[in-house]
DNA sequence: TCTGGGGTCCTAGGACCC
DNA sequence: TCTGGGGTCCTAGGACCC
């Protein structure tokens, strides 16, 4: 059986962890630029504050009531996530870390599942202080569903009985099934499939025709047929991206160049950290799609002759690409760089005519990475990235309580 | 006035190969 | 008048996830 362990209101719960006094008030965590709501605690959900809404919708509400609002602090969330994953790992089951706040485990034995899940749950609560919900079933899709309902019940839910499963499926909207989003759910509605139960018992051939192979797999998983196994090799990722919305709109090629260079440089560093090289780079620029400004979106990509993590090369390529798609007279709101075709640093295929000067330069770049890391600040960087700091605004960030000695939690006695 | 960032997988169509 | 079958790789776009 598969169990899915899912943290409750993860980002909001982490913020509560370090400021317990806010626990009985609504808590919100915001996206980059303090733009949208990306996490809410229970109290905030009760106030009907929606996921993904821009925060200015609730300006009045925030002024009138005591709502605690945080900028997102991914360093902190990442560290707390690691601690939770370590605890799950300590139970010694096969494990897949599915996201920052979720992990699947595969339990290859008969046991008192409910007792086991409660044990995992309480250990995480005791050692880290975060509440989790755990669902268990014969397939990943059903265990996802079980954890969804576990949140509404007492934290753990075992779905191992056909009648019980069907009972839950009947009250599940198709769009709440893992893998069925808005579009597919609409397609299902056209077939008069409204809930997960209808979906489970529908004709397979028609599902495959309308929703293709993935839709069929999801349906089979509802029938307790395993289609998705534990994916333990998630560590070899396929792409890395760096993208941002700008706090203010940008129109000149010069300033876009700086942003694109900044993205390319941060990707190059990520590649070096993970000992990877890329041989495919693409960039995009876009205007806002929410206002009355003239709209323009474009992207362009290129393959690299030699796989690399060299910042100078990536910046140069990215800037050349930008020249091709940049158009004057638009207000750009967002841009980004994405690399793929990733390969391991040590298994690089050289070009027959390539020069070997890259190696020493790479050593230099790694030294710079180290200096920046030790100073906990990007002290040394490329002029192309521009000297203007704070590419985004985030004023309400909590401290890096667990990863930085300067910001460590202080306790008064 | 202000609306996130980082991923995965699949499909259709085009261009090419023998 | 009649014009094959079996592949690969790439790209753009669409759908999904957290």
């Amino acid at each position: 059986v598969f169990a899915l362990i899912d943290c409750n209101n993860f980002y909001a719960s982490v913020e509560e962890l370090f400021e317990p006094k806010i626990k009985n008030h609504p808590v919100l965590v915001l996206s980059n630029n303090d733009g949208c709501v990306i996490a809410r605690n229970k109290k905030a959900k009760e106030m009907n504050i929606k996921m993904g809404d821009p925060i200015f919708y609730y300006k009045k509400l925030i002024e009138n009531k005591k709502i605690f609002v945080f900028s997102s602090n991914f360093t902190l969330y990442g560290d707390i996530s690691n601690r939770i994953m370590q605890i799950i790992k300590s139970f010694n089951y096969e494990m897949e870390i599915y996201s920052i706040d979720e992990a699947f485990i595969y339990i290859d034995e008969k046991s008192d599942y409910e007792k086991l899940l409660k044990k995992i749950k309480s250990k995480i609560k005791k050692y880290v202080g975060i509440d989790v919900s755990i669902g268990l079933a014969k397939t990943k899709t059903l265990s996802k569903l079980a954890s969804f309902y576990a949140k509404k019940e007492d934290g753990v839910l075992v779905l191992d009985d056909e009648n019980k499963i069907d009972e839950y499926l009947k009250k599940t909207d198709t769009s709440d099934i893992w893998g069925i989003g808005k579009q597919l759910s609409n397609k299902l509605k056209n077939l008069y499939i409204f809930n997960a139960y209808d979906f489970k018992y529908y004709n397979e051939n028609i599902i495959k025709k309308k929703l293709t192979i993935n839709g069929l797999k999801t349906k089979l998983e509802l029938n307790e047929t395993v289609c998705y196994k534990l994916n333990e090799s998630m560590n070899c990722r396929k792409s890395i991206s760096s993208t941002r919305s700008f706090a203010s709109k940008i129109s000149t090629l010069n300033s876009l160049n700086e942003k694109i260079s900044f993205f390319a440089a941060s990707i190059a560093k990520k590649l070096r950290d993970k000992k990877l090289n890329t041989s495919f780079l693409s960039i995009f620029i876009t205007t806002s799609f929410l206002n009355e400004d003239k709209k323009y979106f474009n992207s362009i990509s290129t393959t690299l002759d030699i796989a690399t993590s060299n910042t100078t090369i990536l910046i140069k390529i990215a800037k050349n690409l930008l020249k091709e798609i940049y158009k004057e007279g638009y207000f750009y709101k967002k841009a980004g760089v994405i690399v793929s075709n990733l390969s391991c640093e040590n298994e690089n295929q050289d070009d027959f005519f390539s020069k070997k000067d890259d190696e020493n330069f790479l050593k230099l770049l790694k030294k710079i990475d180290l200096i920046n890391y030790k100073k906990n600040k990007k002290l040394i960087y490329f002029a192309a990235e521009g000297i203007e700091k704070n590419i985004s605004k985030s004023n309400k960030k909590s401290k890096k309580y667990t990863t930085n000695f300067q910001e460590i939690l202080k306790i008064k006695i």
Side-chain angles (χ1 to χ4, degrees):
Chain A
V1 291
F2 294 90
L4 178 72
I5 299 143
D6 191 333
C7 300
N8 298 347
N9 317 325
F10 185 53
Y11 302 161
S13 301
V14 174
E15 299 294 351
E16 286 176 1
L17 205 55
F18 292 92
E19 257 187 83
K21 62 169 193 208
I22 66 177
K23 216 165 193 166
N24 296 316
H25 302 277
V27 175
L28 302 177
V29 178
L30 304 182
S31 63
N32 206 270
N33 289 328
D34 289 346
C36 294
V37 177
I38 58 166
R40 308 97 86 215
N41 72 348
K42 204 172 160 220
K43 279 266 178 322
K45 283 178 185 170
E46 279 166 11
M47 289 178 69
N48 217 8
I49 295 175
K50 296 258 156 52
M51 180 80 168
D53 272 355
I55 189 64
F56 66 82
Y57 282 5
Y58 302 108
K59 209 174 164 191
K60 269 218 173 106
L61 206 61
I62 291 168
E63 280 166 9
N64 297 338
K65 298 220 175 186
K66 224 176 163 51
I67 300 185
F68 291 89
V69 180
F70 293 89
S71 307
S72 37
N73 183 350
F74 286 102
T75 315
L76 183 63
Y77 309 149
D79 186 60
I80 299 300
S81 168
N82 280 336
R83 291 163 192 241
I84 292 170
M85 297 308 170
Q86 287 306 317
I87 289 171
I88 299 171
K89 215 174 268 171
S90 74
F91 284 87
N92 279 319
Y93 294 105
E94 284 177 65
M95 174 176 172
E96 172 191 342
I97 297 174
Y98 179 64
S99 75
I100 192 164
D101 74 330
E102 277 171 273
F104 286 102
I105 54 173
Y106 181 69
I107 304 170
D108 189 15
E109 65 197 11
K110 198 88 187 117
S111 79
D112 184 345
Y113 295 131
E114 204 166 306
K115 200 173 144 197
L116 173 66
L117 301 188
K118 281 186 176 155
K119 206 166 138 191
I120 298 175
K121 182 177 159 62
S122 71
K123 191 169 177 186
I124 294 170
K125 178 72 178 174
K126 183 176 171 189
Y127 284 58
V128 190
I130 296 285
D131 279 309
V132 299
S133 302
I134 312 182
L136 181 142
K138 281 193 184 136
T139 63
K140 282 171 122 179
T141 305
L142 282 172
S143 74
K144 264 295 230 185
L145 199 74
S147 84
F148 177 76
Y149 285 107
K151 272 182 213 283
K152 304 184 174 185
E153 293 167 25
D154 65 342
V156 302
L157 179 61
V158 174
L159 277 187
D160 54 357
D161 171 87
E162 176 98 40
N163 291 329
K164 196 171 164 191
I165 292 172
D166 284 356
E167 197 183 299
Y168 277 99
L169 291 183
K170 273 180 197 164
K171 56 178 178 181
T172 304
D173 197 273
T174 52
S175 61
D176 287 330
I177 304 170
W178 188 43
I180 305 292
K182 210 176 161 192
Q183 310 297 325
L184 295 184
S185 154
N186 280 337
K187 269 189 188 175
L188 290 177
K189 269 182 200 134
N190 292 334
L191 297 171
Y192 297 95
I193 298 173
F194 297 102
N195 58 43
Y197 179 84
D198 299 339
F199 186 43
K200 173 180 172 181
Y201 290 104
Y202 207 82
N203 180 295
E204 279 178 26
N205 294 324
I206 299 173
I207 294 298
K208 188 175 178 190
K209 210 167 158 189
K210 297 275 182 189
L211 301 193
T212 73
I213 188 68
N214 278 337
L216 178 62
K217 281 184 179 172
T218 299
K219 176 193 143 49
L220 289 172
E221 286 242 318
L222 294 181
N223 282 295
E224 299 192 289
T225 306
V226 176
C227 297
Y228 298 111
K229 296 200 170 134
L230 225 50
N231 186 359
E232 289 177 284
S233 57
M234 292 261 286
N235 45 0
C236 46
R237 75 170 69 196
K238 314 236 156 106
S239 69
I240 294 176
S241 57
S242 178
T243 69
R244 285 288 177 284
S245 297
F246 309 131
S248 53
K249 285 176 268 187
I250 284 177
S251 59
T252 66
L253 178 60
N254 240 342
S255 37
L256 267 182
N257 258 328
E258 290 184 354
K259 305 297 183 197
I260 289 287
S261 303
F262 174 84
F263 300 143
S266 77
I267 285 178
K269 171 161 189 316
K270 280 187 208 167
L271 287 168
R272 292 192 293 272
D273 284 349
K274 298 185 184 309
K275 300 196 189 311
L276 292 170
N277 284 326
T278 177
S279 61
F280 188 87
L281 185 148
S282 58
I283 70 163
F284 72 87
I285 51 176
T286 181
T287 55
S288 171
F289 49 90
L290 292 159
N291 58 24
E292 301 301 308
D293 292 351
K294 272 189 298 174
K295 310 268 178 291
Y296 175 61
F297 169 89
N298 209 347
S299 69
I300 184 171
S301 44
T302 187
T303 49
L304 282 59
D305 296 333
I306 306 163
T308 184
S309 65
N310 183 329
T311 310
T312 52
I313 294 175
L314 295 189
I315 287 182
K316 201 176 282 173
I317 291 171
K319 281 169 76 175
N320 278 335
L321 290 178
L322 178 60
K323 225 183 288 168
E324 305 218 4
I325 57 172
Y326 171 77
K327 276 207 246 171
E328 237 173 283
Y330 290 91
F331 294 111
Y332 296 96
K333 179 65 183 158
K334 186 175 176 178
V337 176
I338 302 158
V339 299
S340 54
N341 282 10
L342 306 182
S343 56
C344 285
E345 211 176 53
N346 52 10
E347 51 193 40
N348 232 13
Q349 175 91 49
D350 279 343
D351 187 284
F352 189 71
F353 301 104
S354 73
K355 294 173 286 177
K356 272 285 180 192
D357 63 347
D358 223 42
E359 258 168 48
N360 279 330
F361 192 72
L362 204 62
K363 276 185 196 158
L364 175 64
L365 287 172
K366 284 182 177 176
K367 277 276 181 277
I368 292 175
D369 291 344
L370 197 63
I371 292 169
N372 288 340
Y373 173 74
K374 286 200 164 159
K375 295 289 173 191
N376 218 329
K377 206 174 170 186
K378 201 166 163 187
L379 274 185
I380 304 175
Y381 53 92
F382 283 81
E385 298 175 52
I387 51 170
E388 225 177 296
K389 288 280 169 51
N390 52 37
I391 194 160
S392 66
K393 59 172 187 213
S394 53
N395 307 317
K396 305 173 209 62
K397 203 160 177 171
S398 47
K399 291 179 179 166
K400 295 178 191 148
Y401 296 109
T402 58
T403 54
N404 183 339
F405 272 114
Q406 268 76 50
E407 302 182 21
I408 205 160
L409 195 64
K410 287 180 187 124
I411 298 170
K412 281 185 211 160
I413 301 174

